Amino acid sequence: MELTNQQTLPVSQAQAWEALNDITLLQSAIPGCDGFTATGENQYEVLVTAAIGPVKAKFKGKLQLENLQPPTSYTLRFEGQGGAAGHGKGTAEVRLESTGPRTTVLHYTAHATVGGKIAQLGSRLVDMAAQKMATEFFETFNAKLQERYAVVAPAAPAAPPQGLLARLLAWLKRLFGG
């Protein structure tokens, strides 16, 4: 399985790097994360409850950060066991690109393999579950960044002064002198 995407973060590159290395913030942003503990330098143990299709399980995983290039990039190596539900392992390349004083684009490519009941579900269902978890993670992660760094959420685009129906009625009034 491969998952490639990018996310625009509303903070500087240094702030994004700091947040990506804050295990408390990460634990609160990872869907179903029950625990996130440092076990050594750049090594962590993670407990996550996840549902992939009809299979729901608690996964115990290990994360290791490698090839650190602060504040630009790193490689995340991971593996996890979910008992009878199955197991997974892989890597993710994470790269931060500064696009402005308060804007950073996070690029990521994850490669993973799964086994056990999870693998029997089919790659399409596993891919959809992974994408859903990534979407939920980044929604929460962005909200946490906005809270931490007092980022003002972008304003909704202004509505046009009149909707189509209002303009049509105004035109008819002008046309018929009403």
Side-chain angles (χ1 to χ4, degrees), residues 118-147:
I118 296 170
Q120 294 171 0
L121 294 173
S123 63
R124 188 167 163 218
L125 194 57
V126 173
D127 289 350
M128 286 174 29
Q131 185 61 53
K132 180 179 182 253
M133 285 184 74
T135 299
E136 289 175 9
F137 168 80
F138 282 110
E139 286 173 356
T140 305
F141 188 69
N142 268 319
K144 297 288 182 186
L145 289 176
Q146 290 173 10
E147 287 173 22

Side-chain angles (χ1 to χ4, degrees), residues 11 35 89 96 123 137 166:
V11 294
K89 68 178 181 176
L96 296 173
S123 63
F137 168 80

